[in-house]
Amino acid sequence: LEEVVFEARGHDLFFSTELDEVLAEADIIFVAVNTPTKDYGVGDGYAAELKNIELTARHLAKVLRPGFHVVVEKSTVPVHTSEVLEKILGSNAGAGVEFAVLNNPEFLAEGTAIRDLNEPDRVLIGAPETELGQRALEMLTEVYAHWVPLERIISSNQFSSEMTKLVANAFLAQRISSINAVSVTCERFGADVGEVAR
């Protein structure tokens, strides 16, 4: 990761401590915040805690300047979280601020994240089926098209995109659970789980 950062720093990648100024001028804003499992109240132990998403949306609404902004939700979130972002932004943004909220989940695997970023097997972008949503989709697609072939950039509505990430996580959890069960069976019969899993 360090090599990637140093290669891009100063021409494609910039760092700033002036967050509000940078956000106010940004065309595309990626929202990648922690969405842990709630540990209190309704949903304790199973629902996603969306406090960070909501706080981020409120902050964006305060600092965005008039013009069109694309807000891209990168976090793993429940379906319809993009609507929450839209409602908060729409209710609190200043006059002349236009925006569209996209969902663009990551599908990085531990140990291969840099390769997965450079050569993704797919990039999923969920966009509202509105004029502004399609404009935002074109803008984000143009960014990815610099290194991802267009046939690997898949678009859907934002709710399908949010659901796709949850389903991918569920499939991964099922695969891990299954291989753990297979491992126990292999041990019992003297089979090699590594060979079975190939």
Side-chain angles (χ1 to χ4, degrees):
L1 179 61
E2 187 175 334
E3 292 171 18
V4 173
V5 169
F6 278 109
E7 184 178 317
R9 189 172 189 173
H11 55 88
D12 289 329
L13 179 65
F14 300 91
F15 296 92
S16 174
T17 57
E18 305 299 327
L19 181 63
D20 289 357
E21 286 180 26
V22 173
L23 289 173
E25 297 297 327
D27 295 322
I28 300 175
I29 300 161
F30 290 90
V31 176
V33 297
N34 192 14
T35 53
T37 302
K38 285 183 76 172
D39 60 2
Y40 64 91
V42 177
D44 179 16
Y46 63 87
E49 170 59 77
L50 298 180
K51 175 179 62 180
N52 294 327
I53 292 275
E54 294 167 3
L55 289 171
T56 300
R58 282 185 175 74
H59 188 81
L60 285 174
K62 283 194 309 191
V63 301
L64 291 180
R65 294 197 179 130
F68 182 63
H69 304 272
V70 180
V71 178
V72 184
E73 123 193 292
K74 292 293 290 179
S75 306
T76 302
V77 294
V79 178
H80 287 274
T81 299
S82 55
E83 266 185 339
V84 172
L85 277 164
E86 287 171 358
K87 286 178 182 173
I88 293 171
L89 287 168
S91 299
N92 297 288
V97 174
E98 291 186 301
F99 62 88
V101 176
L102 305 180
N103 179 268
N104 176 223
E106 52 82 11
F107 297 99
L108 306 178
E110 190 175 336
T112 61
I114 299 300
R115 183 173 50 95
D116 294 344
L117 280 172
N118 289 327
E119 301 170 27
D121 63 338
R122 71 196 178 289
V123 171
L124 177 60
I125 304 171
E129 295 168 343
T130 63
E131 185 178 323
L132 290 179
Q134 295 309 296
R135 180 177 166 193
L137 172 63
E138 289 173 14
M139 289 172 66
L140 188 55
T141 298
E142 187 179 315
V143 170
Y144 279 113
H146 285 280
W147 78 94
V148 179
L150 285 176
E151 62 272 10
R152 290 191 194 165
I153 303 173
I154 303 163
S155 63
S156 70
N157 72 46
Q158 71 272 36
F159 309 132
S160 295
S161 180
E162 290 168 335
M163 179 64 83
T164 298
K165 176 60 176 175
L166 296 174
V167 169
N169 285 359
F171 282 163
L172 177 60
Q174 286 175 326
R175 218 170 81 209
I176 291 168
S177 178
S178 294
I179 202 65
N180 287 341
V182 168
S183 176
V184 170
T185 305
C186 286
E187 284 180 23
R188 181 169 178 223
F189 290 101
D192 182 332
V193 71
E195 292 178 1
V196 172
R198 257 190 292 177

